[in-house]
């Protein structure tokens, strides 16, 4: 009879060499970490790759998949980008979108800072429920809100003006930014404000000189969130803006570059690519602040 190891275990692990153990560890990491991560990155970046190759493909390659590989570019061309920049109002659309996004971001941050500070620091009765109610307002679909908002915008005489979007975008930006800043304000020690109150500082002075400087990562994160959502928003921009020259990029490239059933795919993809690059580049510089602020928002 053969001897059975104590505990009924196998001798494979005990007899394995360090090289085999290292190989097993690498293989396990490859299957559990790197392979899923690679799949995620490919799926995430493929739309940008498709936009890029379509923007530089001539029309002959776009519609002839029998002779050309759909995933490669044989003869790159700048014709679609030239048509977009010089034969359409795309620079005007880009400028309008930038102005609306920046204005809506500033308004939303201003309101969110005041609301978050009041809810978190003033400690009035029912403040927690107010914060929860503000966040729940973010969950209301914009497709439901834009009907009463359209009536309000028309009555105020703001229809077909950029101010219609600047004033309506905070309806879905303020709730989330307020919730985000509430979580970040929680990470700031309250003792700092108590010391300032003892020294005679007012609440506005504390907010301006103590709280906001310490909450810069949270403000940057909320600003990135607001700017990105304002830049990519579609429903309100489609409903409230009718003039071609006043449209934002997401709406304009879809409505102005499609003639009947003819889609200018090269110009469409070039417009989408040029419109997404500024946001992606801007976000890449502040991704660390974005992650740290989210961590501060959810850790309590």
């Amino acid at each position: 009879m053969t001897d059975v190891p104590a505990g009924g275990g196998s001798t494979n692990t005990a007899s394995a060499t360090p090289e085999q153990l290292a190989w097993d560890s690498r293989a396990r990491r490859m299957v559990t970490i790197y392979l899923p991560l690679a799949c995620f990155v490919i799926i995430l970046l493929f739309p940008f790759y498709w936009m890029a190759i379509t923007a530089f493909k001539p029309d002959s390659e776009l519609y002839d998949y029998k002779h050309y590989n759909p995933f490669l570019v044989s003869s790159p061309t700048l014709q679609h980008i030239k048509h977009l920049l010089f034969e359409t109002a795309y620079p005007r659309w880009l400028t309008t979108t930038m102005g609306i996004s920046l204005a809506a971001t500033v308004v939303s941050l201003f309101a969110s800072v005041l609301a978050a500070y009041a809810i978190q620091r003033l400690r009035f009765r029912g403040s927690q429920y107010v914060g929860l109610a503000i966040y729940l307002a973010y969950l209301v679909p914009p497709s439901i809100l834009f009907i009463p908002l359209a009536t309000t915008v028309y009555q105020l005489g703001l229809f077909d003006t950029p101010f219609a979007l600047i004033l309506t975008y905070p309806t879905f930006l303020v709730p989330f930014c307020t919730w985000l800043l509430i979580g970040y304000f929680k990470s700031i020690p309250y003792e700092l404000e108590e010391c300032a109150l003892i020294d005679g500082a007012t609440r506005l002075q504390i907010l301006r000189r103590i709280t906001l400087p310490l909450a810069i990562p949270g403000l940057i994160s909320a600003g990135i969130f607001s700017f990105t959502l304002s830049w990519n928003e579609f429903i309100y921009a489609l409903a409230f803006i009718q003039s071609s020259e006043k449209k934002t990029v997401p709406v304009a490239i879809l409505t102005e570059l499609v003639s009947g059933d003819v889609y200018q795919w090269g110009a469409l993809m070039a417009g989408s690519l040029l419109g997404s690059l500024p946001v992606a580049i801007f976000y890449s510089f502040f991704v660390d602040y974005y992650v740290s602020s989210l961590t501060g928002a959810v850790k309590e």
Side-chain angles (χ1 to χ4, degrees):
M1 295 179 62
T2 59
D3 294 335
V4 178
S10 174
T11 59
N12 292 335
T13 303
S15 61
T17 62
E19 291 77 8
Q20 291 175 336
L21 293 176
W23 171 257
D24 292 340
S25 177
R26 287 195 297 267
R28 190 179 299 108
R29 287 200 304 269
M30 181 67 68
V31 174
T32 60
I33 299 177
Y34 298 116
L35 184 60
L37 184 61
C39 295
F40 175 78
V41 171
I42 292 174
I43 294 174
L44 185 67
L45 296 182
F46 180 77
F48 294 95
Y49 173 75
W50 188 262
M51 285 192 299
I53 63 173
T54 305
F56 292 103
K57 276 186 178 182
D59 290 334
S60 58
E61 295 186 28
L62 284 175
Y63 303 105
D64 189 2
Y65 286 166
K66 293 182 179 180
H67 300 89
Y68 299 98
N69 190 328
F71 301 104
L72 299 176
V73 182
S74 300
S75 303
T77 180
L78 296 176
Q79 183 62 36
H80 301 306
I81 298 179
K82 179 181 177 181
H83 169 74
L84 185 72
L85 296 179
F86 300 103
E87 299 179 16
T88 67
Y90 188 83
R92 177 75 176 271
W93 302 334
L94 202 62
T95 303
T96 301
T97 307
M98 181 69 71
I100 292 174
S101 301
L102 289 175
T105 299
V106 171
V107 172
S108 300
L109 284 180
F110 178 78
S112 299
V113 166
L114 297 180
Y117 184 81
I119 293 172
Q120 179 58 33
R121 293 307 199 190
L122 299 186
R123 297 179 178 178
F124 56 89
R125 180 178 297 179
S127 60
Q128 293 182 350
Y129 299 103
V130 174
L132 179 61
I134 290 177
Y135 178 69
L136 291 177
Y138 172 72
L139 303 179
V140 179
S143 57
I144 297 177
L145 291 178
F146 92 91
I147 297 176
L149 285 176
T151 303
T152 303
V153 167
Y154 183 79
Q155 291 175 349
L156 294 176
L158 300 176
F159 187 77
D160 200 25
T161 66
F163 292 101
L165 302 181
I166 294 174
L167 296 180
T168 54
Y169 282 176
T171 58
F172 60 86
L173 297 178
V174 170
F176 183 84
C177 291
T178 301
W179 172 79
L180 185 67
L181 292 175
I182 287 175
Y184 203 84
F185 286 164
K186 285 182 180 180
S187 64
I188 300 176
Y190 192 74
E191 289 76 9
L192 297 176
E193 297 186 6
E194 290 179 339
C195 295
L197 289 173
I198 294 174
D199 292 337
T202 64
R203 283 291 181 180
L204 289 179
Q205 289 175 333
I206 293 173
L207 176 63
R208 180 165 54 89
R209 298 182 179 181
I210 298 177
T211 307
L212 290 184
L214 295 176
I216 287 178
L219 295 175
I220 293 176
S221 177
I224 292 174
F225 173 84
S226 301
F227 183 81
T228 304
L229 258 66
S230 300
W231 186 279
N232 296 323
E233 201 281 326
F234 184 83
I235 294 179
Y236 292 162
L238 178 65
F240 300 156
I241 303 296
Q242 297 297 323
S243 302
S244 175
E245 67 277 2
K246 298 179 182 178
K247 292 181 178 180
T248 59
V249 170
V251 176
I253 60 176
L254 183 62
T255 58
E256 301 297 325
L257 299 179
V258 178
S259 303
D261 58 349
V262 177
Y263 290 78
Q264 304 178 34
W265 290 114
L268 279 169
M269 293 301 165
S272 301
L273 182 64
L274 295 179
S276 61
L277 284 179
V279 178
I281 295 173
F282 179 74
Y283 173 80
S284 65
F285 286 106
F286 300 101
V287 63
D288 293 336
Y289 293 104
Y290 189 79
V291 174
S292 65
S293 63
L294 287 179
T295 304
V298 301
K299 71 178 182 180
E300 302 239 355

